[in-house]
Amino acid sequence: MMKSAAEELSVLAQAVVWEQREEEGRLAEGLEGHSLRFRKRERLTWSPVTLESQSITFGGRACVVLSRPPHGGEVGAFRTGSPVSLYQANDAGVPDPDGPPPRRGLVRKVRKHQLEVVLDGEPLSAQDFHERWTLDVRGDDRSFRFMAEALSHWINTEDPAERAFRDGLLGFGEIPLASSELEAPFTGHEASLKSLNALQSAWVKAVWSGRPFALLHGPPGTGKTTTLLALIEGLVSAGKRVLVTAQSNAAVDWILLGCAHRSMEAVRIGHPMRVDPKVWSLSLESRVEAEPEFKQVRDFRKRSAQSWKEVDRFRRNFGPAERKEKAEAKREALDLSREAREMEAYIAEKVIRKSAIVGATLAGTSDMMLRDEPFDYVIVDEAGQAMEPAVWIAMRKAPCVVLAGDHQQLPPVVKSSKAIGAGLEKSLIEKLLQRHPRSEWNVMLEEQYRMNQAIMTPSSDWFYEGRLKAAPGNAACALEGIPPWTWIDTAGCGFSEERESEGSSTSNREEAQFVLDRLAELVEQAPLATIGVVAPYRAQIEVLESLWFDRFGQAHEGIEFATVDAFQGQERDIMILSLTRCNEEGAIGFLKEYRRTNVAMTRARAHLLVVGDGATLGGDPFFARMMELAEEAGAYRSAWEWMS
């Protein structure tokens, strides 16, 4: 039992250290001490890579196109937004100590044999395009550093208001009273409440009263985002400034997209490679480029590029005059680049300052551009998915904090068993929902607007104390000739799972083929329906996509394949869940994390299809109960119906 809030946060600080060591150790295990051949096989390295082209992006960053030969490595861990290291390798396949220092960057775009990478630092020279390079996936320690700094601040703060907030939040003191300075009376702003039900509206009014913190538990389909957007609209109309944040880039982009649909101006802070194209017009980069002063930035960069060309003319130093001319051209290029960055930073600061709504990830709220920016409210969306220390980063930014999410869906991703034991896997919103009794500022939304009654009921019973109610308009949502949900048991069909070579992901090719057969049937039955196909394992999704492409030669509009984790926050008319596991031992791995299945089940509006091996899964009480409910509802079928 913790004796103080500071002690509790100190335990979390140690857990962050353990988690960082675990992540760094896992990456080092794959990279350090292994041959280039091994790293390429493990899809952690591309080598050799050739520099094809270079352009300049926001902040003076160089965007380079890299290509590899057919056997230069696999896409693997290289995904949009992945941190990478680009270097010239020696014969051992590690950075050449006599070569230039490694360059860090983020992946911008992934193709089969090409990557676009945005690099930190100055642009590459013409000579660099004649060299052979190696590209490694690397760890990103920024988030850990920001979490450690935030926890240190909250542990050691001497500010009376911050200490009262910290202690009251964690249950070691009285909850601070509402601030009259923050109070935003809803009188005159009732229009923002028109789309809300009674419970949602009451909660928004309670938050507007200026409480230092508020909690919103939003189960699937209950209108959490709609409620938050109404809150933001009311606050902004009352002259308040709001920082919108979440653990993932996707969650931040989604709520800012909602702001745009309500004609609320916002600006998105973050690395350009991690901003969804749908909200690009809201990105800081886009907003800066639209300002009249940006013409001067373009001029500086154009002149800088011309000076770099002058530098590149001197491949060799032939004499004092040539060396002097080269040095002068290089100095001019660097000076012009610096002036471009300074002008761009000035414009960016102006854009942020005049924005009432700013969006960034939790780690992104530590961006230097937000360091001294004042906000009235911080809204943390998808708080159930965020590590608690990450939330403490954002809570430094405003006197009033709102946490919204659902701890019965995906939890924070924690790999270290020691960190899990120290409580890092438990989100702050879950902790606070348990420590603070329900009230007008701490509510669970109960009316859901997504699923029909049959799909909703198992999730409501298992995860939400049976409190969810289907809204009248969607209680009977259905597709003609297609039942609300079906479990197809593949037991006895001879299917078997496969583990990736030296990897951690699992696939089941036979189950994937069976799933695609059912998918084709559903496409024929409901050609206009949107369909999501999910699996708990990345390897299974890769198999599903590959087989579908082999069968039809192209992607089908309205069908999306993704892991369950990638699908949180989304919904489709039809959802298909491939549970994948099939073995004699009855081992189900991380399917034991039932909240992941809850996410998968609650994405469907009209039809849910679950495919799994009952012999493997039936030994687990959760999945055994699911099959029992399917039988009781007449939704249980055997795969043998299609195989005979």
Side-chain angles (χ1 to χ4, degrees), residues 518-529:
R518 308 290 75 75
L519 171 59
E521 292 172 355
L522 288 168
V523 170
E524 187 174 344
Q525 289 177 275
L528 300 180

Side-chain angles (χ1 to χ4, degrees), residues 178-185 207-211 235 238 240 377:
S179 170
S180 59
E181 294 181 1
L182 289 173
E183 188 175 348
V207 177
W208 282 0
S209 68
R211 292 200 60 84
L235 291 173
K240 305 302 177 182
Y377 285 77

Side-chain angles (χ1 to χ4, degrees), residues 4-71:
S4 69
E7 181 183 349
E8 185 171 324
L9 295 181
S10 296
V11 172
L12 280 180
Q14 179 59 61
V16 169
V17 174
W18 288 329
E19 180 65 11
Q20 182 175 4
R21 289 175 180 171
E22 178 73 20
E23 285 207 7
E24 291 175 346
R26 292 190 180 199
L27 184 60
E29 187 178 342
L31 289 172
E32 298 176 8
H34 291 291
S35 67
L36 185 61
R37 184 176 180 181
F38 175 88
R39 286 150 43 203
K40 288 162 64 174
R41 189 181 74 223
E42 293 300 301
R43 302 184 292 186
L44 299 172
T45 297
W46 275 21
S47 184
V49 290
T50 303
L51 298 175
E52 297 291 344
S53 63
Q54 177 175 243
S55 58
I56 305 300
T57 66
F58 186 77
R61 301 182 182 98
C63 178
V64 296
V65 177
L66 307 172
S67 65
R68 63 173 175 87
H71 302 292

Side-chain angles (χ1 to χ4, degrees), residues 72-362:
E74 300 296 330
V75 171
F78 296 96
R79 298 181 175 86
T80 300
S82 297
V84 292
S85 178
L86 180 70
Y87 58 91
Q88 294 178 21
N90 58 21
D91 293 339
V94 298
D96 189 343
D98 298 325
R103 300 288 298 272
R104 292 192 164 199
L106 292 178
V107 175
R108 179 179 188 176
K109 189 177 292 184
V110 181
R111 304 186 183 95
K112 191 173 183 180
H113 295 292
Q114 281 191 336
L115 287 176
E116 288 185 22
V117 176
V118 177
L119 298 174
D120 298 335
E122 296 294 333
L124 297 171
S125 69
Q127 178 60 37
D128 291 328
F129 281 75
H130 300 278
E131 305 292 342
R132 288 162 64 94
W133 296 82
T134 293
L135 189 74
D136 285 345
V137 173
R138 67 171 177 85
D140 189 357
D141 63 354
R142 291 174 65 257
S143 295
F144 290 108
R145 185 172 74 253
F146 295 151
M147 286 191 287
E149 290 173 353
L151 288 174
S152 177
H153 171 85
W154 286 105
I155 292 168
N156 299 302
T157 181
E158 297 294 332
D159 183 279
E162 288 189 334
R163 292 172 70 108
F165 175 84
R166 178 199 67 189
D167 295 347
L169 192 71
L170 294 177
F172 293 95
E174 295 294 323
I175 299 173
L177 299 174
S179 170
S180 59
E181 294 181 1
L182 289 173
E183 188 175 348
F186 57 85
T187 304
H189 308 292
E190 291 86 351
S192 62
L193 304 178
K194 288 184 178 179
S195 60
L196 306 184
N197 61 37
L199 185 59
Q200 294 167 335
S201 182
W203 179 82
V204 169
K205 291 178 181 179
V207 177
W208 282 0
S209 68
R211 292 200 60 84
F213 68 93
L215 306 173
L216 182 66
H217 182 190
T222 54
K224 170 178 62 68
T225 300
T226 300
T227 306
L228 291 179
L229 289 172
L231 171 64
I232 295 169
E233 187 175 14
L235 291 173
V236 171
S237 65
K240 305 302 177 182
R241 200 157 184 243
V242 183
L243 176 61
V244 177
T245 184
Q247 178 76 17
S248 70
N249 286 281
V252 176
D253 292 340
W254 180 251
I255 198 163
L256 289 188
L257 194 61
C259 290
H261 287 163
R262 291 190 174 213
S263 301
M264 291 186 283
E265 289 193 8
V267 62
R268 170 72 156 92
I269 309 294
H271 197 289
M273 302 311 95
R274 290 174 169 166
V275 177
D276 192 299
K278 294 178 182 176
V279 296
W280 179 251
S281 63
L282 303 179
S283 69
L284 181 60
E285 291 74 13
S286 178
R287 297 282 301 276
V288 166
E289 290 174 1
E291 293 292 312
E293 299 100 320
F294 193 74
K295 292 179 181 178
Q296 193 169 352
V297 177
R298 290 194 179 98
D299 179 63
F300 285 145
R301 286 183 179 159
K302 183 179 179 181
R303 290 160 57 193
S304 177
Q306 292 170 343
S307 294
W308 279 116
K309 287 181 180 179
E310 287 296 309
V311 174
D312 292 332
R313 281 198 308 113
F314 299 94
R315 293 286 182 85
R316 298 178 181 177
N317 295 322
F318 296 100
E322 287 83 5
R323 286 195 294 271
K324 182 179 179 182
E325 191 174 348
K326 180 179 180 179
E328 288 177 352
K330 185 175 182 178
R331 184 170 56 253
E332 184 177 3
L334 292 172
D335 287 345
L336 288 166
S337 294
R338 176 181 51 77
E339 290 185 51
R341 288 195 300 272
E342 290 176 356
M343 174 60 72
E344 196 171 52
Y346 163 76
I347 301 170
E349 184 179 345
K350 185 178 73 170
V351 169
I352 294 171
R353 189 160 295 160
K354 67 181 183 181
S355 298
I357 304 169
V358 177
T361 62
L362 290 165

Side-chain angles (χ1 to χ4, degrees), residues 509 516 543-554:
R509 193 173 185 86
L516 294 182
V543 171
L544 283 161
E545 287 184 306
S546 176
L547 291 174
W548 183 262
F549 187 83
D550 290 344
R551 185 180 298 190
F552 295 100
Q554 60 182 6

